[in-house]
Amino acid sequence: MYQTFDETTDPSFGPKHVPLIRAAMKAQGLDGFLAPHEDEHQNEYLPAANDRLGWASGFTGSAGAAVILADKAAIFVDGRYTLQVRDQVDQGVFEIRDLVEGGVPAYLESATTRGQVIGYDPRLHSPDALERLKAAVAKTGARLKPVERNPLDEAWGSARPAQPTAPVVPHPLEYAGEESGAKRARIGAALKGQNADATVLTAPASIAWLFNVRGGDVIRSPLPLGQAILNQDGTARLFLDPVKVSGELRAWLGNEVRLETPDELPGALAELKGKRVLVDPGQSSAWYFDALGEAGAEVVRGEDPCALPRACKNAVEIAGTAEAHARDGAAVSRFLHWLATEAQGRTVDEIEVVIKLEGFRQATGALKDLSFDTIAGAASNGAIVHYRPTTRLNKQAEQGSLLLVDSGAQYLDGTTDITRTVAIGEPSQEMRERFTLVLKGHLALAAIRFPAGTTGSALDALARAPLWNAGLDYDHGTGHGVGSYLGVHEGPQRISKLPNFVALRPGMIVSNEPGYYKEGAYGIRIENLQYVTQAAPIAGGERPMLGFQTLTLAPIDRRLIVVEMLSPAERAQMDAYHARVLAEVGPRLDGEVRAWLEAACAPL
């Protein structure tokens, strides 16, 4: 199995490890230290060797930060992790604070004093984030100091896992849809348009996309850790650990790509003296800006030039991800049939649910990995947004409860992410009503048409409006970008309350996942992936419109729908979706499962 049910941390990590960090801080003359979740590559999902926040605190969520001072400490998480952090972190060591409202800058303003020196590792922080932190401590008379030796790493010492060394392999054209040389020429032309001589790339997803390669350094994502310098003429220098490099890879990259080791990166940056170099302050750490500045390069701040082209999938990638979703839809349908039959007749637990679902995906013969650890939350665990079943937390799916299953798969032709909420036994009327409110928002976002230039932030309220009208809401984004056999969370697009200035464009894949969570009782989320496409002309319309085409194909639990709460248009939309599921997934199933799918997809 890909997923395990062991816990890699526990609340004792804070009491055990924070004193070691403080001793290392003191040895360097520091009064505090900043510990972000992100690693040197700004990864969301981390190699074990880079999960510094987890080792320091016990918290394993995909977003967060900590401030460790000599006499106190605080950990910061967003709304997805408010329940999880209380379970994983010793609150006698860490005060729990909100990452978004005020966040680390507000805490530094209140917790630091004149003359204090707060250390930070410049490889782990973006320059923009550092500016906000420096401004905060300046108000108190404290100051931030970059460190060459990370005191957290020193405290971790020999117990720290080794850095990953998975092979970097070619990603064939039948899946990528565009040669690396063409991509490099295209990005080089964009650099020329910005009057930049070169760009430094540090995001693993951009390196994977640009060079048509994949790796295995990051859990649940086929990403290689490395860096690259791309020149205006399309030639490049790619910095990879030699252990990851094969003769096949060298031949695949060709003569225009020079392979070098990470130890050669500082010298390569120094060679950019006098050049205009584009670097993304949201993707690359302050260390790169400092190194380029010291080398005498002119740093041009701008978005990673691969981010937008990578997000706008080409026709081959769209066709591939559609096939991946149909394949995955058949596996998920087999799983949902199991839930509707065997799992209704006896009590199953979350771990069994995860094992069963992964087994159905393995049976496709195409599964490369999960796209994230499966979230299977029974009853009250479903209210923990990013919950992961463990042996300690494992809960049974009792009669009269809801089971929330959020899962995804990595296939060579696409990445999937789907959430289904299923009634175990007879659901309550409240469960059904709130599920239907979530469904109404989901349907609204799937059906909307919008003009070019519209951002995801402008669409977010559509998914929330039915809940808002009932005095309800959820504390996570409505939609994230998804890669093509890359990360399950991909920018720069998103659908969220938070401002986003990247317009949705054809070929972009986003999730559609409104939810509702009742702490201590149950959770509801309905998630499909969909991609932006040109919409059919609207009669009488004056402007061309964009819309969404749904990728995810699996039935939604009809027992949880209060049909009377849906408008005629919503009922027709729901029926049309189920008819499509039956038409596209049905031929991949047979016998009892096919008969079940026909009933599950029957018109409302």
Side-chain angles (χ1 to χ4, degrees):
M1 282 194 65
Y2 289 108
Q3 187 161 337
T4 64
F5 306 100
D6 300 325
E7 294 185 79
T8 56
T9 68
D10 65 63
S12 72
F13 273 33
K16 287 191 299 188
H17 297 157
V18 168
L20 300 178
I21 298 169
R22 284 178 172 146
M25 285 163 35
K26 185 176 181 181
Q28 293 191 38
L30 301 174
D31 300 296
F33 186 70
L34 306 179
H37 167 270
E38 292 76 20
D39 67 357
E40 291 85 338
H41 300 270
Q42 299 296 296
N43 282 312
E44 177 184 21
Y45 298 111
L46 303 174
N50 295 350
D51 191 6
R52 296 176 174 92
L53 184 60
W55 182 82
S57 68
F59 174 66
T60 60
S62 62
V67 177
I68 300 171
L69 302 174
D71 58 347
K72 55 189 170 185
I75 188 164
F76 303 79
V77 301
D78 62 29
R80 296 171 294 171
Y81 296 112
T82 52
L83 299 181
Q84 180 177 327
V85 72
R86 285 184 238 154
D87 178 67
Q88 291 186 318
V89 173
D90 187 322
Q91 295 181 57
V93 177
F94 287 95
E95 177 188 353
I96 296 172
R97 307 268 297 217
D98 191 285
L99 182 64
V100 179
E101 296 296 326
V104 177
Y107 180 78
L108 290 174
E109 281 189 42
S110 65
T112 59
T113 58
R114 180 169 297 280
Q116 284 188 320
V117 179
I118 311 300
Y120 69 93
D121 186 337
R123 292 179 180 268
L124 307 181
H125 297 265
S126 74
D128 289 350
L130 278 178
E131 288 304 314
R132 293 190 292 272
L133 298 175
K134 287 176 180 177
V137 297
K139 295 178 181 179
T140 69
R143 67 183 178 92
L144 296 188
K145 178 184 177 182
V147 299
E148 291 186 10
R149 304 185 325 277
N150 185 317
L152 194 156
D153 291 351
E154 292 195 322
W156 202 345
S158 61
R160 184 183 180 191
Q163 288 291 330
T165 55
V168 179
V169 298
H171 189 55
L173 190 61
E174 65 181 287
Y175 303 121
E178 183 182 8
E179 295 278 6
S180 172
K183 291 179 179 179
R184 286 185 278 107
R186 185 152 59 100
I187 303 305
L191 292 175
K192 186 175 182 179
Q194 293 179 265
N195 195 26
D197 299 297
T199 183
V200 176
L201 302 172
T202 63
S206 289
I207 290 168
W209 176 84
L210 182 66
F211 296 102
N212 284 345
V213 297
R214 297 296 187 267
D217 290 335
V218 180
I219 188 171
R220 307 294 175 247
S221 303
L223 297 174
L225 297 186
Q227 301 85 12
I229 298 173
L230 176 68
N231 300 309
Q232 192 185 97
D233 63 2
T235 62
R237 304 170 75 169
L238 178 58
F239 302 87
L240 296 173
D241 187 325
V243 131
K244 305 177 186 178
V245 177
S246 65
E248 179 191 23
L249 179 68
R250 290 183 184 277
W252 175 257
L253 293 172
N255 296 328
E256 293 187 339
V257 179
R258 179 175 161 187
L259 271 167
E260 302 182 57
T261 72
D263 290 341
E264 295 174 282
L265 177 61
L269 295 177
E271 291 176 27
L272 294 172
K273 179 179 180 179
K275 303 286 189 182
R276 283 176 54 85
V277 183
L278 176 67
V279 191
D280 186 342
Q283 291 287 345
S284 299
S285 70
W287 182 86
Y288 293 93
F289 289 80
D290 296 342
L292 288 166
E294 291 168 8
E298 182 182 350
V299 178
V300 179
R301 292 190 176 210
E303 186 178 81
D304 178 339
C306 297
L308 191 57
R310 184 180 80 237
C312 298
K313 309 298 183 285
N314 60 45
V316 170
E317 290 172 315
I318 289 295
T321 199
E323 170 59 24
H325 278 82
R327 180 192 310 120
D328 198 60
V332 171
S333 293
R334 289 186 174 96
F335 165 73
L336 292 173
H337 165 259
W338 173 79
L339 272 181
T341 54
E342 184 177 345
Q344 294 285 350
R346 63 179 179 83
T347 303
V348 299
D349 60 36
E350 296 164 342
I351 289 178
E352 185 179 2
V353 165
V354 171
I355 292 171
K356 203 73 180 178
L357 177 53
E358 185 170 325
F360 285 121
R361 285 188 165 120
Q362 288 276 16
T364 67
L367 184 68
K368 304 298 288 185
D369 197 350
L370 305 180
S371 57
F372 55 96
D373 280 345
T374 297
I375 299 166
S380 60
N381 283 346
I384 305 172
V385 177
H386 275 206
Y387 170 78
R388 181 180 74 88
T390 65
T391 302
R392 176 177 65 90
L393 299 173
N394 189 29
K395 184 186 285 287
Q396 292 186 327
E398 303 283 359
Q399 292 292 305
S401 69
L402 296 183
L403 174 68
L404 186 156
V405 183
D406 186 349
S407 68
Q410 294 283 10
Y411 303 104
L412 284 172
D413 47 4
T415 300
T416 70
D417 182 2
I418 173 175
T419 307
R420 290 295 181 264
T421 305
V422 177
I424 304 297
E426 189 64 31
S428 69
Q429 185 63 15
E430 178 189 279
M431 291 172 179
R432 297 180 70 237
E433 289 174 355
R434 295 192 176 181
F435 180 92
T436 307
L437 292 175
V438 172
L439 178 61
K440 287 170 72 70
H442 176 89
L443 293 173
L445 186 57
I448 190 63
R449 297 294 179 263
F450 52 92
T454 301
T455 68
S457 301
L459 303 182
D460 181 76
L462 292 167
R464 298 179 190 270
L467 289 162
W468 284 352
N469 287 332
L472 308 171
D473 199 5
Y474 51 93
D475 294 324
H476 58 74
T478 300
H480 56 82
V482 179
S484 177
Y485 189 45
L486 281 173
V488 74
H489 293 158
E490 176 182 271
Q493 76 277 18
R494 68 171 182 264
I495 301 174
S496 170
K497 287 180 183 177
L498 297 174
N500 181 262
F501 302 104
V502 177
L504 295 168
R505 302 188 184 196
M508 286 182 169
I509 300 173
V510 292
S511 64
N512 173 356
E513 51 179 310
Y516 168 75
Y517 310 92
K518 186 172 184 178
E519 185 175 347
Y522 59 85
I524 297 166
R525 186 158 64 251
I526 304 170
E527 178 185 18
N528 285 347
L529 299 190
Q530 53 196 36
Y531 69 93
V532 181
T533 184
Q534 299 287 345
I538 298 172
E542 297 179 351
R543 298 186 183 187
M545 290 283 156
L546 301 175
F548 293 116
Q549 173 68 32
T550 298
L551 288 162
T552 305
L553 297 169
I556 291 170
D557 193 344
R558 295 165 71 255
R559 296 176 302 150
L560 283 167
I561 301 173
V562 181
V563 178
E564 297 76 20
M565 291 174 61
L566 300 182
S567 68
E570 289 169 333
R571 291 198 293 272
Q573 185 183 350
M574 190 70 252
D575 287 345
Y577 174 72
H578 272 155
R580 185 177 161 219
V581 170
L582 184 59
E584 298 190 30
V585 174
R588 297 170 184 259
L589 305 173
D590 53 27
E592 183 182 320
V593 181
R594 170 62 189 254
W596 171 84
L597 185 69
E598 290 175 355
C601 294
L604 291 175

